[in-house]
Amino acid sequence: MAKSQITETIITDWISLHKEELFQIADYIFRHPELAYEETLSSRCLADFLKAQGFSVVDGTAGIPTAFTAEWGSETPVIGFLAEYDALAGLGHACGHNLLGTAVCAAACALKADMQTNRTCGTIRVYGCPAEEIMSGKIVMNKAGVFDDLDAAVTWHPFDRNRISNDIWQSQDIKNYTFRGVSAHASKSPEDGRSALDAAELMNIGVNYLREHVPQDVRMHYAYIDNNIPANVVPDYAKTNYFIRSASRSRTEDASRRVDDCARGAALMTGTTVDIELVKSCMEMKINRPLVEIFYKAMTQIPTPEYTKDELDFAAQISKKAELLNNGIYFFGLEPLEDAPVPISIGTDASEVSHTVPLITISAAAMCRGTPLHHWAAARQAGMSIGQKGMLYAARCMAQGTKLLMETPGSFDKIWEYHNTH
């Protein structure tokens, strides 16, 4: 039997042997959704699993209580697997991070089993990365240098399709705008007040007009942070949170400056002041074509999930209830690799890591076609067998892709040459 066939058998067998335990882990995290930097149970669950599988675990990576680093091996190459496990306020795991972290740990363990059997040199690290939903964890960890000695980094994300993520995830600025004015009785003496809320609303109007005059890929969206001031008081405080994004760092920075000007103009018009806080900032995703091609080759050798009648019926029901656009075709196989990177209108803090080391992201169908992320329909599927099947498929793809990378002569030189010149 060829070595690649042996490799695939060991990886597949390990995942198959442990699938019920993996389902329990994903279900536990799903049923205990925790927000950014509060993922105590979720991170402990994954760290304990890795420790039981022979990894050494250090908690508090980069000074973050809910981050961890698990390691096995002592030689090069050093491969980093990036796990996420935070949830969304009010939506739970509507981004499938209960599946994301579990599959990453499964891939690392399956690869470890293969390396032990074949006596392959190398080090596997699993990074427990909190607070992805607020674009924070990996940026903090990257600034602390925890990824600097990696030869490559590997992760995945649940989506509604199976493909290599040959995607330019967006560059982002996350900002808070805090307006301060003068309080007054809204009926008796409104002339004495200077409304911070008026300023925030005027800023948002300005940004809404600005949308016509920015490039097509720029996204600017905001939410009010409650000031708890009743309507009969002129508000002396108002705060908004903005996400400003594009597929290019330079375009993001230009749009971000113009949004700042809208805030300053609104403060001037209303006699208030504004404080501008840059909460987090990241680059766009840096695509590594040689790495993409290696992992795509591996994915072509792995069968995509098959679904039971009950699962297809569930997909049909949720498609109808959520008005998903899929024309009754709920799942496809592996999608072909595009000739060029694809800009997409979402972001991740993993993009920052891609500028430090070559990074690959796999997409796997953990929900039926047309299901949007950050949506209740995504959460429903992340908590049942449809999501779990996508999770196991992603684990196999990550493990087998990494093994192919390690077995291909000259592959690390090639991906680093590309990383350093593009």
Side-chain angles (χ1 to χ4, degrees):
M1 184 180 291
K3 185 177 181 181
S4 61
Q5 292 175 299
I6 294 173
T7 296
E8 173 62 8
T9 299
I10 294 169
I11 289 171
T12 303
D13 287 351
W14 189 95
I15 292 173
S16 179
L17 179 65
H18 292 271
K19 69 176 183 179
E20 292 302 325
E21 185 177 7
L22 296 171
F23 291 163
Q24 290 172 10
I25 292 169
D27 185 65
Y28 177 83
I29 296 173
F30 180 81
R31 295 181 184 280
H32 297 84
E34 298 169 301
L35 302 182
Y37 292 127
E38 299 175 6
E39 315 95 327
T40 305
L41 296 175
S42 303
S43 61
R44 185 78 269 140
C45 178
L46 295 175
D48 286 348
F49 171 72
L50 290 165
K51 189 173 183 179
Q53 293 298 320
F55 284 75
S56 62
V57 178
V58 177
D59 296 320
T61 301
I64 305 172
T66 55
F68 65 84
T69 303
E71 182 172 294
W72 174 86
S74 59
E75 301 179 71
T76 58
V78 183
I79 307 297
F81 288 86
L82 311 183
E84 300 169 14
Y85 33 82
D86 60 328
L88 290 155
L91 286 170
H93 280 288
C95 211
H97 289 185
N98 63 311
L99 307 171
L100 198 165
T102 307
V104 163
C105 293
C109 291
L111 180 63
K112 170 181 173 287
D114 181 88
M115 291 173 66
Q116 287 177 311
T117 300
N118 291 310
R119 299 182 179 180
T120 304
C121 294
T123 299
I124 302 171
R125 284 202 202 127
V126 179
Y127 294 95
C129 304
E132 189 277 338
E133 295 293 4
I134 63 168
M135 286 295 300
S136 185
K138 295 184 201 65
I139 295 174
V140 174
M141 295 167 76
N142 191 59
K143 286 181 178 178
V146 303
F147 307 118
D148 287 357
D149 65 337
L150 295 181
D151 291 286
V154 182
T155 191
W156 81 291
H157 203 286
F159 274 108
D160 63 344
R161 60 198 67 199
N162 303 303
R163 58 188 287 272
I164 282 287
S165 181
N166 187 33
D167 299 324
I168 304 175
W169 297 59
Q170 290 183 313
S171 162
Q172 299 188 75
D173 279 355
I174 302 176
K175 290 185 171 182
N176 288 331
Y177 296 88
T178 303
F179 292 91
R180 290 181 171 86
V182 178
S183 180
H185 193 290
S187 181
K188 182 180 179 183
S189 54
E191 69 279 4
D192 294 333
R194 298 295 181 267
S195 173
L197 181 60
D198 286 354
E201 291 188 316
L202 284 168
M203 175 196 171
N204 297 334
I205 291 169
V207 172
N208 286 334
Y209 278 105
L210 176 62
R211 296 179 197 280
E212 182 183 359
H213 306 289
V214 294
Q216 290 290 332
D217 68 324
V218 172
R219 298 290 185 271
M220 301 173 291
H221 30 280
Y222 62 87
Y224 281 95
I225 298 174
D226 188 12
N227 62 5
N228 293 312
I229 298 173
N232 63 344
V233 177
V234 174
D236 63 352
Y237 175 88
K239 188 173 183 178
T240 56
N241 173 248
Y242 264 77
F243 276 60
I244 305 160
R245 327 186 194 200
S246 81
S248 161
R249 185 66 216 161
S250 61
R251 291 197 293 277
T252 298
E253 289 176 353
D254 178 68
S256 191
R257 285 191 296 267
R258 296 170 75 182
V259 171
D260 289 352
D261 286 342
C262 290
R264 295 186 185 103
L268 182 62
M269 285 190 286
T270 54
T272 61
T273 62
V274 62
D275 294 325
I276 301 172
E277 176 193 7
L278 178 61
V279 180
K280 282 291 177 295
S281 180
C282 79
M283 303 286 285
E284 71 278 5
M285 183 68 76
K286 186 174 183 178
I287 303 299
N288 190 295
R289 184 69 187 190
L291 194 55
V292 164
E293 290 175 351
I294 288 171
F295 272 74
Y296 179 72
K297 181 179 179 181
M299 290 181 75
T300 63
Q301 302 169 8
I302 301 171
T304 53
E306 297 181 358
Y307 300 92
T308 65
K309 182 180 183 301
D310 286 345
E311 289 165 343
L312 293 172
D313 287 345
F314 184 91
Q317 293 166 11
I318 204 165
S319 294
K320 182 177 180 180
K321 187 174 182 180
E323 299 182 343
L324 306 182
L325 300 177
N326 52 38
N327 295 318
I329 302 173
Y330 306 117
F331 303 99
F332 286 163
L334 177 65
E335 296 193 359
L337 175 60
E338 301 90 354
D339 293 332
V342 181
I344 59 174
S345 295
I346 55 177
T348 172
D349 59 4
S351 296
E352 198 75 3
V353 182
S354 74
H355 289 261
T356 300
V357 299
L359 170 72
I360 187 69
T361 305
I362 285 170
S363 296
M367 55 201 78
C368 66
R369 296 277 290 194
T371 305
L373 297 177
H374 296 197
H375 188 279
W376 66 264
R380 287 285 302 277
Q381 293 170 87
M384 50 92 68
S385 59
I386 288 175
Q388 291 168 350
K389 284 185 174 180
M391 175 184 77
L392 296 187
Y393 172 70
R396 289 181 67 185
C397 291
M398 286 186 285
Q400 183 64 13
T402 304
K403 194 59 179 172
L404 182 59
L405 172 68
M406 297 172 74
E407 291 178 351
T408 302
S411 60
F412 288 99
D413 289 340
K414 185 178 289 187
I415 67 173
W416 272 98
E417 180 183 3
Y418 192 93
H419 178 82
N420 291 327
T421 56
H422 288 75

